[in-house]
Amino acid sequence: MDPALCQYGQSGAFRRLTAESQRNYATDTKILLTFLWDRGKSWRDATARDLDDFEDWRRRAIANPQRIGGAKWNRELAAFALLYKWAKREGYIAQDPVQLMGGSQARAVDSADANVHWLTPRTWRLWLDVGLRGHDRDGVPRAGWPGRLEDRNTAYVRLLTSSGLRRREAGSLLTFEVPSASLSGGRYWPGRVAGAVTRSRSTRTFYASSQAVGDIESYSVSSRAWTVRQAQRAGRYDGLAMRMVTEVSRRPRPMVVWRELDGTVGRLELSRLGVTDRLSLFTEGPDGPEPLWLWLNEQGLPFLPHSWNNVFRTANKRCDEVLAPAEEVRRVDPHLVWAPYATPHSTRHSFALFMLVVLNEVMDQRYGLSAAERRDFQLLYGDPWFLVQGLLGHKSRETTVKHYLAPVRHLQLVSLLANVQEPLADPLPDLDGVFARVAADSLGIQDIDARMAVTK
């Protein structure tokens, strides 16, 4: 193997990536290296034309039976950009082929449609009941349903759908980071996600529903507590390189103080604690050390963020087994959804859609704003797109519009919501009927009635 590539694997640029990103980037780069090798070229000799040809092969060539979409190409391009930027800085190449082909301008413009995946609130309820709680079509647990980890999985998904947190952001929370006070007794509880675990490296406030917070608390005092106790009895924490937290300061920039096994005292701002740091944090409980990592596996050890993909995959399979008709009844029709399908990131898409609709509803009906008053309100607080941008932690409003809410930009939401006939509930209305109309006119949105009822 080229020594330069070995050095790249040990570089700070590569090592700063998450473990999952490292694996993805390595795989994507290997595909490019194979393509160049078949052309009789080293990766150091690649030109912008080579990368253009590679993109054409990966995305459009009829002879390629495994063509990829825009979202996958953008991920591969990010891997190449990181490699060649490092190589140019270290003097291994004279010119960066990614920059010569346009840099970020070479990103696929169709990635948003390929990556956007929404479920309406009632479809999420169905997915939770069938996929995570083992219910059948009649809404009761199926015979023999074990219910293992049901409370943990349900609490995690509800946190994602109500807060818009990314998989890693929610998956690396510590027990004392769970929101503990509601907004003036309302349905949403504010919390803070540390910058070190976010994509932007910026700490931000998130809001979780009271139901999600209640589910987390129930999980913490029941199955989580039992799992920790079993792990203590089995000695699973013995010998771990743990940091025993002795203090978490309560100030604008909280500081976490811990004691190493050799007695050394360490401290770091909470916002700077990355995933690896968090895995080693423990607290002294009544029966011995307890992990501060919120989500635990059945052995009482931290459940890593990427492992949630398997939880969603299993739930999707269960939904398909329970809700989809027999194979001989199915037919090829892209407009029919036999059973809800979800990924960790689709919770974020769904959160964005929900917040856009709810914020329009709050502005137009709860406050009874006229057109002029609505303009004044937007000048003071920003429009719904701007508010959702802040909740998602995006740097620009354009990112929010393009990547999350683009499929419904054509909808006249103001007039749509003005005709809502459902009774309003305090503090938020039941908008199932509104979401049904949005789903009926938009691609990529799963709704139990608009998309699934036709299959029954």
Side-chain angles (χ1 to χ4, degrees), residues 167 171-172 275 279 293 295 297 301-309:
R167 181 191 64 185
S172 58
V275 171
L279 290 170
W293 188 276
W295 312 105
N297 61 24
L301 300 173
F303 192 68
L304 299 180
H306 70 268
S307 299
W308 287 106
N309 288 350

Side-chain angles (χ1 to χ4, degrees), residues 129-147:
D129 287 343
V130 176
L132 298 184
R133 291 174 170 162
H135 290 191
D136 58 19
R137 279 182 172 271
D138 297 324
V140 296
R142 304 179 76 182
W145 170 248

Side-chain angles (χ1 to χ4, degrees), residues 39-69:
R39 286 191 161 198
K41 280 192 171 186
S42 163
W43 67 275
R44 304 191 198 196
D45 303 323
T47 65
R49 176 62 182 272
D50 291 323
L51 294 186
D52 282 334
D53 290 346
F54 180 67
E55 181 195 6
D56 186 68
W57 167 258
R58 292 289 282 155
R59 301 191 61 210
R60 292 177 285 274
I62 297 177
N64 180 7
Q66 296 180 324
R67 294 187 293 272
I68 62 175

Side-chain angles (χ1 to χ4, degrees), residues 123-440:
T123 308
W124 273 116
R125 294 194 291 269
L126 177 70
W127 188 88
L128 284 166
D129 287 343
V130 176
L132 298 184
R133 291 174 170 162
H135 290 191
D136 58 19
R137 279 182 172 271
D138 297 324
V140 296
R142 304 179 76 182
W145 170 248
R148 290 176 23 247
L149 302 174
E150 176 182 323
D151 58 346
R152 183 200 68 180
N153 297 342
T154 300
Y156 177 79
V157 173
R158 277 196 169 141
L159 174 62
L160 290 184
T161 56
S162 73
S163 67
L165 289 172
R166 293 182 175 90
R167 181 191 64 185
R168 184 172 65 164
E169 294 170 346
S172 58
L173 283 177
L174 302 175
T175 55
F176 58 79
E177 291 180 303
V178 177
S180 58
S182 65
L183 289 171
S184 302
R187 288 177 54 180
Y188 281 86
W189 296 47
R192 298 282 284 175
V193 57
V197 300
T198 68
R199 184 173 295 177
S200 65
R201 299 295 174 181
S202 299
T203 300
R204 74 175 191 277
T205 299
F206 69 90
Y207 300 91
S209 70
S210 57
Q211 184 179 39
V213 174
D215 286 343
I216 294 174
E217 292 178 345
S218 297
Y219 158 66
S220 297
V221 300
S222 56
S223 66
R224 185 185 188 279
W226 183 85
T227 299
V228 169
R229 187 70 186 105
Q230 293 299 108
Q232 291 170 335
R233 289 173 176 170
R236 296 194 185 103
Y237 301 142
D238 299 343
L240 294 181
M242 63 179 66
R243 292 172 168 176
M244 196 65 63
V245 173
T246 57
E247 179 187 0
V248 180
S249 65
R250 298 296 177 183
R251 56 185 184 180
R253 292 186 176 181
M255 184 74 66
V256 179
V257 183
W258 65 82
R259 186 184 67 256
E260 305 276 359
L261 292 178
D262 61 3
T264 304
V265 175
R267 64 183 64 235
L268 195 66
E269 282 187 18
L270 177 59
S271 63
R272 296 175 58 191
L273 286 173
V275 171
T276 303
D277 299 312
R278 291 161 173 262
L279 290 170
S280 62
L281 296 181
F282 280 70
T283 187
E284 191 64 52
D287 299 304
E290 301 179 1
L292 283 171
W293 188 276
L294 176 60
W295 312 105
L296 305 179
N297 61 24
E298 290 184 281
Q299 286 71 48
L301 300 173
F303 192 68
L304 299 180
H306 70 268
S307 299
W308 287 106
N309 288 350
N310 293 328
V311 173
F312 277 76
R313 190 177 298 114
T314 302
N316 289 330
K317 182 179 179 180
R318 189 175 295 119
C319 285
D320 189 66
E321 291 173 349
V322 173
L323 298 173
E327 189 66 33
E328 59 269 15
V329 179
R330 305 190 192 194
R331 66 180 186 275
V332 177
D333 187 338
H335 301 292
L336 295 180
V337 177
W338 305 101
Y341 175 88
T343 66
H345 206 62
S346 61
T347 63
R348 191 164 157 85
H349 296 308
S350 301
F351 166 81
L353 171 66
F354 177 79
M355 291 307 299
L356 176 67
V357 173
V358 168
L359 288 170
N360 272 284
E361 163 63 26
V362 169
M363 287 183 180
D364 287 350
Q365 291 201 17
R366 184 172 180 185
Y367 292 135
L369 300 180
S370 65
E373 290 170 335
R374 198 174 200 271
R375 286 193 298 270
D376 292 339
F377 187 94
Q378 290 176 358
L379 288 174
L380 182 60
Y381 296 105
D383 64 11
W385 302 89
F386 174 79
L387 296 174
V388 171
Q389 172 198 334
L391 292 170
L392 293 172
H394 287 161
K395 291 184 177 180
S396 70
R397 181 179 185 276
E398 178 183 358
T399 300
T400 307
V401 174
K402 179 180 179 181
H403 293 285
Y404 287 89
L405 306 174
V408 294
R409 277 182 295 181
H410 67 282
L411 294 175
Q412 298 296 319
L413 281 173
V414 175
S415 60
L416 175 68
L417 292 169
N419 295 323
V420 174
Q421 299 300 317
E422 292 81 8
L424 300 184
D426 187 37
L428 293 176
D430 180 355
L431 294 176
D432 282 346
V434 177
F435 279 107
R437 291 196 288 277
V438 173

Side-chain angles (χ1 to χ4, degrees), residues 69-71 74 108-118 349 401-409 443-445:
N74 286 345
V109 297
D110 61 339
S111 61
D113 289 342
N115 202 31
V116 170
H117 191 72
W118 292 344
H349 296 308
V401 174
K402 179 180 179 181
H403 293 285
Y404 287 89
L405 306 174
V408 294
R409 277 182 295 181
L443 296 177
I445 302 177

